[in-house]
Amino acid sequence: MAAGSLLCRMSLIRKVCNFSGSCFLFCRMSLIRKVCNFSGSCGLLFLFALAFVLPAAAQSPHQENIQIGLSTDRVMITAGFTGADLTIFGALEDGDPQIARQGRYDVIVVLEGPARPVVVRRKDRILGVWINLESETFENVPVSYSVATTRPFQDITEPASYKQLSLGANNIYMQPMEEGESPATIAEFTAALRERKSATGQYSENVGGVQFLSQNLFRATVRLAPSVPVGTHKARAFLFKNGVFVKENSAQLEIRKSGFEQSIFRAAHNYSFLYGFFAICLAMITGWLGRIVFRKD
Amino acid sequence: MSIYLPIAEISVNILVLLAMGAAVGFLSGMFGVGGGFLITPLLIFYNIPPAIAVATGANQVIASSVSGVLSHMKRGTLDFKLGGVLLAGGVVGSTVGIYVFGLLREIGQLDLFISLLYVVLLGTVGGLMMVESVNALRATRSGAAPVLKKSGQHNWIHRLPLKMRFRASKLFVSVIPVLGLGAAIGFLSSIMGVGGGFIMVPALIYLLKVPTNVVIGTSLFQIIFTSAYTTLVHATTNQTVDVILAFVLMVGGVAGAQYGARAGQKLRGEQLRALLALLVLAVALRLAFDLFVTPPNRYSLAVLGLS
């Protein structure tokens, strides 16, 4: 058991960034939390070594557990961020080597954004003009939802099981704010919400995005949309054995924007009066300077 | 070269924005209008959210109005008293406008309302200008002397009570229509992101009979303050003023205005007005097109309480 907890503390995460143009995901490269005085690569070797030693030590029936660890609890994205892949490493503890060899362990990793109330509006034609007419408000809709799985959803477990865990973009429960709407209307607007979220990349699925690197170590790649919302995100990992849900674990990740532009955004929201006053002064000075520089009379 | 707009939260090409500012500045210099009525629709066509386009447009209008007012002050073609009364009305209209703006945004009808207002106002003003300038062009071509409106002609507005004397404008008129006009312009300024010069100028000339030479200076003077007030209230209540966007537009606009003014001197008045009318009508048509054409997606999402 001591070995197990050691293993768990050694779980790791690495972020792989897609740089494009000025896009930049502030990332600290890789990182094993050093428990012992091992260097990074030694630690990794030690981890693999443990993976083989462990089953022999544990004679009792396997009590699988899943761990994910984040190297940092904060990710900073700068202006012009055009999306990135976030790689999360994790470990399967006390796994049955035989089941692992047959590939009957499955892992689903979800990165879920903060929940907010969302209004879905539908345009309808009135006198030839398209007008927002019907609307439906849902409480606590995750602003983003990225999933990575080892295999296609239908191969991992039963639909009922997903529903129970509310796992997957199609199974998130969306609570309408007002009661008494017809189920058909709610279904229509829920579908539209999911469709819009998928279209903007805020809800994404990466089938095959979780890969076992060894019997115990896995790597999950989830997509961050260009419009990934700032706030506290929750990384959750679900372990399935022979199509049955076994264990879940989660970690928190703060996504924040950084840089000059973000300071402006914060100023506009936190010091809005001063910000407005500054905007006016800037315009007046620009107008005055423009007059001096380009004066023709 | 892309630049990230912190409030609009999108990346745009800075050269496109500079060109947009310069083009509108050129036209505003050429025609003597503020250009807000062109900037806001252009920003909307460039996928800037309408709420931000409007608030930022109001901010940008300040810069062009300040440089205009400075030259009018030097020439003495500015009636401070008339501007002050218009301004008092403007503050009231703008406050009401901001409230309506927030309300429309909440119920999801803001974009529609902005587009409808633009289509109706630009369509009307553009249409009237077109008719007027084509008539004038025909008249000069046929050699007939242009018919001048007699000054001193009185209409119903001059029979209203609470009269006030405006010396610089040589005017003795009731404050009610002046306040009302100011309020209407303030309302439009906060909802449409325009200075309102394209409505103010004809209204002062034709309704209040203000001498043409003081009209533009006075209109610009009050537009500075109405726009400044609008900018401040948008910044505090809706957080929709994008300083970076406004600044890039101002720089382009201030430079473009000078070349526009020079180009404007080479064209005749009627030709200028006909061209401006064409431009205004084109913008109105483009906005109307978006209202009537089937949208690619009928559903839209809005996150509540993100700020």
Side-chain angles (χ1 to χ4, degrees), chain B residues 27 31 37-38 41 45 115 118-134 198 272-290:
Chain B
L27 294 170
F31 301 121
F37 75 97
L38 290 173
F45 298 154
S115 297
Y118 265 105
V119 169
V120 170
L121 277 176
L122 294 183
T124 312
V125 171
L128 288 174
M129 275 174 65
M130 190 55 120
V131 170
E132 187 270 338
S133 54
V134 167
F198 72 103
L272 265 180
R273 287 204 300 277
L275 280 178
L276 181 60
L278 265 184
L279 186 76
V280 170
L281 284 176
V283 174
L285 274 179
R286 175 67 179 75
L287 281 167
F289 179 76
D290 281 347

Side-chain angles (χ1 to χ4, degrees), chain B residues 1-20:
Chain B
M1 235 179 96
S2 78
I3 181 172
Y4 181 78
L5 305 175
I7 306 299
E9 296 190 290
I10 53 168
S11 285
V12 289
N13 192 325
I14 191 170
L15 298 178
V16 171
L17 286 186
L18 279 173
M20 213 185 264

Side-chain angles (χ1 to χ4, degrees), chain A residues 22 78-82 116-125 127-133 137 143 177 188-189 192-193 195-197 202 229-230 257 260-262 264-265 268-270 272-280 282-291 294-297, chain B residues 2-7 9 11 59-60 62-64 66-68 70-71 74-75 105-109 112 116 224-225 227-229 231-232 235-239 241-244 247 250-251 254-255 258-259 262 290-295 297-307:
Chain A
S22 59
T78 55
F81 175 71
T82 54
R116 302 260 189 255
V118 167
V119 195
V120 186
R121 297 195 173 101
R122 191 183 70 201
K123 277 197 166 76
D124 286 289
R125 203 166 216 172
L127 300 172
V129 177
W130 288 94
I131 295 173
N132 281 329
L133 216 58
T137 309
V143 183
M177 204 169 258
E188 180 199 335
F189 281 92
L193 197 161
E195 192 277 323
R196 289 281 82 211
K197 285 283 188 187
Q202 288 183 324
V230 293
K257 288 182 183 168
F260 170 63
E261 291 85 350
Q262 188 55 18
I264 292 180
F265 181 85
H269 284 261
N270 300 341
S272 51
F273 184 83
L274 281 177
Y275 175 87
F277 192 72
F278 170 77
I280 294 167
L282 183 73
M284 290 200 166
I285 292 167
T286 312
W288 176 67
L289 280 179
R291 160 104 179 118
F294 298 104
R295 170 147 47 191
K296 289 282 176 296
D297 48 349
Chain B
S2 78
I3 181 172
Y4 181 78
L5 305 175
I7 306 299
E9 296 190 290
S11 285
N59 190 12
Q60 190 267 342
I62 302 173
S64 50
V66 164
S67 42
L70 287 172
S71 56
K74 210 175 154 201
R75 278 185 248 150
R105 199 181 184 193
E106 210 167 283
I107 61 170
Q109 303 298 357
L112 171 77
L116 275 180
I224 292 177
F225 294 97
S227 307
Y229 181 73
T231 305
L232 195 63
T236 48
T237 57
N238 300 311
Q239 282 98 34
V241 177
D242 198 311
V243 161
I244 303 276
F247 184 69
M250 281 174 216
V251 170
V254 163
Q258 307 308 317
Y259 296 96
R262 243 186 284 173
D290 281 347
L291 283 178
F292 289 102
V293 82
T294 307
N297 200 302
R298 289 175 59 197
Y299 297 93
S300 61
L301 303 184
V303 177
L304 297 177
L306 240 178
S307 55

Side-chain angles (χ1 to χ4, degrees), chain A residues 28-61:
Chain A
R28 250 184 264 164
M29 277 322 264
S30 87
L31 26 102
I32 295 186
R33 290 223 178 127
K34 279 169 222 141
V35 180
C36 325
N37 288 334
F38 289 172
S39 73
S41 59
C42 280
L44 196 61
L45 277 176
F46 181 66
L47 187 85
F48 284 122
L50 265 179
F52 290 102
V53 174
L54 210 78
Q59 288 296 323
S60 56

Side-chain angles (χ1 to χ4, degrees), chain B residues 32-234:
Chain B
V33 291
F37 75 97
L38 290 173
I39 274 284
T40 306
L42 277 176
L43 291 177
I44 294 172
F45 298 154
Y46 197 46
N47 287 330
I48 308 283
I52 287 154
V54 165
T56 307
N59 190 12
Q60 190 267 342
V61 163
I62 302 173
S64 50
S65 306
V66 164
S67 42
V69 154
L70 287 172
S71 56
H72 281 282
M73 258 165 74
K74 210 175 154 201
R75 278 185 248 150
T77 49
L78 203 169
D79 187 337
F80 283 102
K81 195 175 174 189
L82 181 63
V85 177
L86 284 170
L87 183 55
V91 169
V92 176
S94 183
T95 309
V96 174
I98 301 266
Y99 173 75
V100 173
F101 186 92
L103 197 76
L104 288 168
R105 199 181 184 193
E106 210 167 283
I107 61 170
Q109 303 298 357
L110 180 65
D111 300 4
L112 171 77
F113 196 72
I114 291 174
S115 297
L116 275 180
L117 259 186
Y118 265 105
V119 169
V120 170
L121 277 176
L122 294 183
T124 312
V125 171
L128 288 174
M129 275 174 65
M130 190 55 120
V131 170
E132 187 270 338
S133 54
V134 167
N135 283 343
L137 278 175
R138 252 198 226 137
T140 41
R141 194 158 297 166
S142 63
V147 188
L148 284 170
K149 286 231 165 83
K150 278 180 222 151
S151 65
Q153 227 174 25
H154 282 216
N155 53 20
W156 59 273
I157 279 172
H158 294 261
R159 287 195 293 272
L160 291 167
L162 290 171
K163 291 209 174 189
M164 198 185 235
R165 192 169 295 281
F166 300 99
R167 288 189 194 288
S169 310
K170 300 184 188 76
L171 208 65
F172 185 61
V173 73
S174 161
V175 289
I176 295 169
V178 182
L179 283 173
L181 181 62
I185 301 292
F187 182 80
L188 294 177
S189 166
S190 54
I191 291 201
M192 299 170 73
V194 296
F198 72 103
I199 295 167
M200 176 80 92
V201 170
L204 287 179
I205 295 176
Y206 296 116
L207 289 178
L208 297 181
K209 314 273 188 219
V210 178
T212 313
N213 61 338
V214 289
V215 161
I216 292 175
T218 309
S219 146
L220 285 176
F221 169 76
Q222 89 93 35
I223 284 168
I224 292 177
F225 294 97
T226 314
S227 307
Y229 181 73
T230 304
T231 305
L232 195 63
V233 182
H234 270 301

